[in-house]
Amino acid sequence: MGRSRRPVVDRLARRANGLEPPPCATRLPLPKQVADFAPWNGQHPEDVMTDGVVKGGYYDKPPGPNSTESNSARPTIWPNLSAKNNMGLQTLSYLFTSVLEKRQALGKCTAPSTFKPPPRVTVTDTKREAWLRDLANPEVPLRKQSRTIPHGIRGKLLMEQCLGKNIAMPRAVWLAKCVGANELRAFRRKGVSGTAAAAGESKWVREWTVQVEHFLESVIAMCGQPEWQSKMDYA
């Protein structure tokens, strides 16, 4: 049974690597069986590295001395690129720079952002754990999780939950940003002066930094314990 399946497996592998013609290919009589199909096998004439091939490139059919056509654009392009004034290189540089600037300009969001952090709600411990498990599950869409965020997930506990449940890094960063935005927004409520809001934000940033330091210290202390390397990579 293994011998009978071996040719089939080899044929499928060759087809997957592009070494077998597709079923829709045009069939021709021998010796050329398929039209426009010549997979590389490492033994073609262009694979022989000679001085002429390295310096001038490979020609399938070299042009005649009186031919007005050429199989290579090198004679036309190379003088412009190798000129002393480097105008060709400067033109190419300007062109590519303009393309990158245009792409950067078109990729910017011109409309004002309408994103609002999901509100935090008070839930039971069971529902909080279920919400975190759903967040760790890539099958659960983030749109469902972004309706509300359980209250009480912040600081070092937030990072420990992400580490313990192996929440994907993009989702963990999203959760940290939403929690941080909600906490910072509390300092900007109506009736709070600008000085008090700035002081509250600075205090929150210092506290968050301390929480991150404590989290990293706890992860480093796990060295040598089971699965410590994966936790270290995640942190």
Side-chain angles (χ1 to χ4, degrees):
M1 183 175 179
R3 293 182 179 179
S4 62
R5 292 186 59 186
R6 183 62 180 272
V8 178
V9 175
D10 292 344
R11 186 164 60 253
L12 293 176
R14 288 175 58 84
R15 180 172 297 177
N17 293 326
L19 300 178
E20 287 287 335
C24 60
T26 303
R27 304 290 171 173
L28 298 176
L30 296 176
K32 193 171 184 179
Q33 299 180 356
V34 182
D36 295 331
F37 183 77
W40 180 77
N41 55 17
Q43 299 178 357
H44 291 177
E46 61 268 22
D47 297 322
V48 180
M49 293 290 101
T50 61
D51 292 342
V53 172
V54 173
K55 294 180 181 179
Y58 174 78
Y59 294 92
D60 187 15
K61 292 181 179 180
N66 299 326
S67 176
T68 58
E69 297 182 358
S70 175
N71 291 343
S72 174
R74 186 176 184 277
T76 305
I77 297 177
W78 181 247
N80 295 325
L81 296 180
S82 60
K84 294 183 179 180
N85 54 8
N86 291 329
M87 286 301 299
L89 292 177
Q90 293 179 8
T91 303
L92 285 177
S93 177
Y94 174 77
L95 174 62
F96 284 123
T97 303
S98 301
V99 170
L100 293 176
E101 292 177 352
K102 190 69 173 180
R103 185 177 66 176
Q104 184 178 9
L106 294 177
K108 292 182 178 180
C109 296
T110 56
S113 176
T114 58
F115 172 77
K116 293 183 179 180
R120 291 186 293 182
V121 295
T122 303
V123 296
T124 61
D125 295 342
T126 304
K127 291 184 178 180
R128 184 188 300 116
E129 288 294 320
W131 189 90
L132 289 171
R133 285 195 299 269
D134 290 341
L135 183 64
N137 185 5
E139 300 296 332
V140 179
L142 193 60
R143 182 180 296 273
K144 175 184 176 183
Q145 302 301 107
S146 62
R147 296 172 184 172
T148 56
I149 294 179
H151 201 282
I153 305 176
R154 62 187 300 272
K156 183 181 177 182
L157 176 62
L158 184 151
M159 292 176 280
E160 289 176 348
Q161 290 287 346
C162 293
L163 176 63
K165 292 179 173 55
N166 197 23
I167 298 176
M169 188 59 63
R171 293 194 169 201
V173 173
W174 171 83
L175 176 60
K177 287 184 176 181
C178 291
V179 172
N182 276 314
E183 295 188 355
L184 290 175
R185 188 170 56 176
F187 298 111
R188 303 174 185 174
R189 293 176 180 174
K190 294 182 179 180
V192 180
S193 63
T195 305
E201 292 179 2
S202 300
K203 180 181 178 182
W204 180 88
V205 171
R206 290 193 299 269
E207 291 178 352
W208 170 254
T209 304
V210 172
Q211 295 292 332
V212 173
E213 292 177 355
H214 290 171
F215 170 72
L216 293 177
E217 290 175 356
S218 63
V219 174
I220 294 174
M222 295 180 184
C223 291
Q225 299 180 9
E227 300 181 357
W228 69 271
Q229 189 171 2
S230 60
K231 295 180 179 180
M232 186 76 68
D233 294 339
Y234 185 92

